[in-house]
Amino acid sequence: MNVLCIDVGNTRVHAGVLRDGRVVWQIAVPTAQAADPVTGLGPRLAELAHSPDRPTGISFCSVVPAATAALQPILATTGWPLFHLTWDQCERLGLPLDYPNPQQLGQDRLALAFGLLASHGTPAVAIDLGTAVTFDVINRRGAYVGGVIAPGLALMTSYLHEQTALLPELDPNDLVVPANIGSSTIEAMKIGCATGFAGMIRAILEQLLAELRRRGEGDVRVVATGGNSGQLPQAWGDIQFDADLLMRGLGEAWRRNEGHR
C-alpha cells in the first residue's frame, strides 16, 4: 500500500510516498507557495496520480493552520482518502498522551512519536533538527510524556546577522571550517554556530536522559532526524539517524487508523 505522507512545516511542505516503510517518491515546496496553482503542491500531485507511485491515501500533519486551510481543498480534489493526524486521535491509535494540555502539541511531534513506535521501540527520544529543534519522549509504556523545544541552526545563524551591524549572514548548511580557531570573521562565526549548536543538542539530551534514568526508564533509544541532523558529530554513537522518521510516523498513524475503521 502506498501512502502519501505530508508534513506542513513553518518553512516548507515535505511530501513523500511511503511503501513498506520506505520513501519511494518525495518533494518539498516552500510553505508560502504550497497552495500556488502553478508552483505549489497541486500540480505535483496531479503528476503523481499518473505515476507508478500513485498513493491509495493521504496522511498529513501541519503546524501552520493557514496553510492547512489552503491545502485541504487541494488534497480533497485528488479523491484519495484523507487522514489528518491530530492530538485527539492519538489515544484511539495507541499513543497515550501523558501531557497536561495535549492540544498544544505540534502535530509533527505526534508524527515523530508514531515513527518511534513503528521503527525504534520504547523508551525513546526523537530529535528533530528543523527550523526549531524538538526533543520528544515516549516512555517504555509507549506514552508520549513531553520534551524540549530549542532554536534551530538557521535561527541561530540568522539571529547573529539580524542583531548585529557588521556580521554577515551565514548559510546554515555550510559551516565546515579547516580549524577550531577562526582566521576570519566568517570562520569564527561558523565555528561558534556549529560547535554551539552541537553542544546545545548534547547538553539537552544528557539532561533528558538523566531525567529518564531517574524515572526508571532504563536504556533509551535516541533517534535524530530533520534537515540539520548532519551537523551532529557522527562520532556520537549513541544517536541513530533516521531521515524518514516523520514520514514513517505518518504512515504508521494511517495504518492504525485504517485498522480502526
Side-chain angles (χ1 to χ4, degrees), residues 47-71:
E47 295 173 7
L48 178 63
H50 300 287
S51 81
D53 298 317
R54 184 182 190 276
T56 54
I58 301 172
S59 181
F60 83 99
C61 66
S62 174
V63 297
V64 187
T68 304
L71 286 174

Side-chain angles (χ1 to χ4, degrees), residues 232-256:
L232 299 186
Q234 296 296 315
W236 290 1
D238 57 341
I239 296 181
Q240 302 174 56
F241 295 87
D242 185 345
D244 299 323
L245 181 65
L246 193 148
M247 296 284 107
R248 269 194 282 273
L250 286 172
E252 177 68 7
W254 166 272
R255 185 188 68 79
R256 295 185 180 205

Side-chain angles (χ1 to χ4, degrees), residues 36-213:
D36 187 279
V38 177
T39 62
L41 197 59
R44 305 300 297 275
L45 297 186
E47 295 173 7
L48 178 63
H50 300 287
S51 81
D53 298 317
R54 184 182 190 276
T56 54
I58 301 172
S59 181
F60 83 99
C61 66
S62 174
V63 297
V64 187
T68 304
L71 286 174
Q72 279 185 314
I74 295 172
L75 299 180
T77 62
T78 66
W80 302 323
L82 185 62
F83 170 72
H84 184 185
L85 176 61
T86 54
W87 70 271
D88 52 340
Q89 301 184 66
C90 290
E91 189 88 29
R92 177 177 65 88
L93 300 180
L95 177 66
L97 302 179
D98 187 4
Y99 200 81
N101 296 295
Q103 66 274 16
Q104 296 178 354
L105 286 170
Q107 295 168 14
D108 54 344
R109 302 177 73 186
L110 301 175
L112 290 169
F114 277 108
L116 291 175
L117 292 175
S119 302
H120 298 279
T122 64
V125 175
I127 309 174
D128 186 13
L129 296 101
T131 305
V133 177
T134 59
F135 296 73
D136 293 293
V137 182
I138 54 174
N139 64 17
R140 59 184 174 183
R141 294 191 301 107
Y144 181 95
V145 297
V148 176
I149 302 175
L153 190 55
L155 292 176
M156 294 176 67
T157 55
S158 62
Y159 188 81
L160 272 177
H161 168 65
E162 291 168 1
Q163 299 300 316
T164 59
L166 298 177
L167 294 181
E169 185 168 9
L170 297 178
D171 179 353
N173 298 309
D174 180 25
L175 299 180
V176 177
V177 293
N180 291 321
I181 299 177
S183 57
S184 69
T185 297
I186 289 180
E187 283 192 359
M189 292 174 66
K190 286 183 175 182
I191 294 168
C193 289
T195 305
F197 183 70
M200 178 189 72
I201 301 301
R202 174 52 73 183
I204 294 173
L205 179 59
E206 289 180 352
Q207 177 177 287
L208 274 178
L209 294 178
E211 174 63 19
L212 290 171
R213 286 193 295 269

